[in-house]
Amino acid sequence: MESSSLVSFCQLSNILAPKKVHNYRPLLKQRTSPSTTTLQCHKMYVPGFGEASPEAKAAKHLHDFFTYVAVRIVHSQLESYNEEAYAEMVEFLETHSLSDGGDNFVADLLRQSSTHKTLALRILEVRSAYCKNDFEWDNLKRLSIKMVEERNTKVMRDYVTETSTVNTETETETETET
Amino acid sequence: MESSSLVSFCQLSNILAPKKVHNYRPLLKQRTSPSTTTLQCHKMYVPGFGEASPEAKAAKHLHDFFTYVAVRIVHSQLESYNEEAYAEMVEFLETHSLSDGGDNFVADLLRQSSTHKTLALRILEVRSAYCKNDFEWDNLKRLSIKMVEERNTKVMRDYVTETSTVNTETETETETET
């Protein structure tokens, strides 16, 4: 019941949202070759990003993430080999948040004192090295695609399970009455 | 003055945080081959992610981002060819937020009505297609690395400019007094 309902949902989606919509592009944003005047992009139109492409927007989020990762790396390294600097880092983290943007955090750290300045420079160095050499970009793509597929299935499965349960209860009540 | 100060900062960073720290790995998280017992990873240790790797964490953020993009794509498509569905989507967006997670948004949309269900299925389909076929993963990597470099330079330049200005003002005051 469940798998056939899932299949029927997919078919329903295909019928009511024909494949041509996938290629419907009222306006095309040319993101890789701005100098050409002939628009030949076969991708879906993504509105609402202003001057930044979706990739640039995602890069901005990742930038803050890399700063967070760099802070964690440096924090861990200090804990192992430099107690004094570690204590300063911990104290600074208690009063300064990364949620306003990693650059503001690092800029404040840079201005705190000469020893804090060293930590700030270290964080800048680590985030650069991390995103270039350590972060597994292919793995990110693979995990992202996998996550979307799994979550799509889950959303539909939860819905089918819920509606199936409701239907079963309704049928049971009807049988009881007759 | 500015560029030489920037260079001196880089050198300071190199002196006070020797390169060997870059390779210091108290614990190694083996992320790609969990079955081997010999740890031979040459990457920096990234603590604090629990069961999820940094790539998995980043994928989770991107997942919500792709849902947002898919909503925008479908919203734009409806505006062009299905006024009724477009009006329903706009109304739903006014009362439901994507910030609690894209899956919750789609799950609510799925349960709203039969026409809303069609929109929800369409969003699921689009987000899957978008992340697999349209999103420019190589471009994301390139932009991310570029952004980190530019922001690193900016953070250091702003600091140098600020301290240079302070130094210049101090020197001017000293000259006036003598």
Side-chain angles (χ1 to χ4, degrees):
Chain A
M1 165 63 176
E2 189 181 18
S3 55
S4 61
S5 295
L6 274 174
V7 167
S8 68
F9 269 130
C10 293
Q11 288 167 342
L12 180 67
S13 171
N14 287 338
I15 291 164
L16 294 174
K19 284 295 177 202
K20 68 177 179 180
V21 171
H22 213 288
N23 299 322
Y24 182 83
R25 273 166 292 283
L27 290 170
L28 295 174
K29 241 186 191 170
Q30 190 70 304
R31 288 175 288 179
T32 49
S33 305
S35 57
T36 61
T37 52
T38 307
L39 298 175
Q40 294 181 347
C41 180
H42 298 286
K43 296 185 177 179
M44 292 181 277
Y45 170 61
V46 186
F49 279 87
E51 295 173 352
S53 65
E55 291 76 12
K57 191 93 176 177
K60 168 69 181 72
H61 290 307
L62 274 181
H63 176 76
D64 291 334
F65 178 71
F66 288 141
T67 310
Y68 169 76
V69 169
V71 167
R72 292 222 66 91
I73 289 172
V74 172
H75 182 272
S76 169
Q77 290 173 343
L78 291 174
E79 190 177 12
S80 302
Y81 77 93
N82 191 333
E83 281 184 22
E84 193 182 327
Y86 174 70
E88 285 182 343
M89 175 72 112
V90 167
E91 194 185 347
F92 189 83
L93 279 165
E94 285 170 1
T95 50
H96 295 77
S97 169
L98 276 157
S99 58
D100 291 336
D103 290 349
N104 291 336
F105 177 89
V106 177
D108 290 342
L109 187 62
L110 207 49
R111 289 157 177 75
Q112 188 76 2
S113 76
S114 60
T115 47
H116 287 84
K117 187 167 69 182
T118 311
L119 298 181
L121 294 174
R122 182 67 185 144
I123 289 167
L124 293 181
E125 181 188 20
V126 167
R127 80 176 176 184
S128 174
Y130 180 76
C131 74
K132 279 183 201 168
N133 305 325
D134 285 19
F135 189 72
E136 294 175 6
W137 291 95
D138 291 342
N139 206 14
L140 172 69
K141 177 182 177 181
R142 186 186 63 79
L143 287 169
S144 298
I145 290 171
K146 185 181 170 215
M147 189 176 288
V148 166
E149 291 303 310
E150 287 176 351
R151 296 287 183 88
N152 278 5
T153 304
K154 186 182 184 308
V155 166
M156 291 190 287
R157 179 176 286 133
D158 288 349
Y159 178 73
V160 168
T161 306
E162 196 177 296
T163 50
S164 302
T165 310
V166 168
N167 286 340
T168 307
E169 287 171 355
T170 311
E171 286 168 9
T172 309
E173 286 171 9
T174 310
E175 286 172 7
T176 309
E177 288 171 8
T178 57
Chain B
M1 165 65 178
E2 190 180 17
S3 56
S4 64
S5 294
L6 273 174
V7 169
S8 69
F9 269 129
C10 294
Q11 289 168 343
L12 180 68
S13 171
N14 287 338
I15 292 165
L16 292 174
K19 285 295 177 204
K20 67 178 182 181
V21 172
H22 212 287
N23 298 321
Y24 181 84
R25 273 165 291 284
L27 291 171
L28 296 176
K29 238 186 193 168
Q30 189 69 308
R31 284 174 291 178
T32 49
S33 306
S35 57
T36 61
T37 53
T38 308
L39 300 177
Q40 294 180 347
C41 180
H42 299 285
K43 296 185 176 179
M44 291 182 278
Y45 170 60
V46 187
F49 279 86
E51 294 173 353
S53 65
E55 289 77 12
K57 193 93 175 177
K60 168 68 181 70
H61 290 307
L62 275 181
H63 176 75
D64 291 333
F65 178 73
F66 288 141
T67 310
Y68 168 76
V69 169
V71 167
R72 292 223 65 90
I73 289 171
V74 172
H75 182 272
S76 169
Q77 290 175 343
L78 292 174
E79 190 178 11
S80 302
Y81 77 94
N82 191 333
E83 281 183 21
E84 191 181 329
Y86 174 71
E88 284 181 345
M89 174 73 110
V90 167
E91 192 184 348
F92 189 83
L93 278 166
E94 284 169 1
T95 51
H96 295 76
S97 169
L98 275 157
S99 58
D100 291 336
D103 290 348
N104 291 336
F105 177 89
V106 177
D108 290 342
L109 187 62
L110 206 50
R111 289 159 176 75
Q112 189 76 1
S113 76
S114 60
T115 46
H116 287 84
K117 188 167 70 183
T118 311
L119 299 181
L121 293 175
R122 181 67 184 146
I123 289 168
L124 294 180
E125 181 189 18
V126 166
R127 81 176 175 183
S128 175
Y130 181 76
C131 75
K132 280 182 200 168
N133 306 325
D134 284 19
F135 188 72
E136 296 174 6
W137 291 96
D138 290 342
N139 206 14
L140 172 68
K141 177 181 176 180
R142 185 185 64 78
L143 286 169
S144 298
I145 290 171
K146 183 179 171 218
M147 188 175 287
V148 166
E149 293 302 311
E150 287 176 350
R151 296 287 185 88
N152 278 6
T153 304
K154 185 182 184 311
V155 166
M156 291 191 286
R157 179 177 287 132
D158 288 350
Y159 178 73
V160 167
T161 305
E162 196 178 297
T163 51
S164 302
T165 311
V166 168
N167 285 341
T168 307
E169 287 172 354
T170 310
E171 286 168 9
T172 308
E173 287 172 8
T174 311
E175 284 172 8
T176 309
E177 289 170 8
T178 59

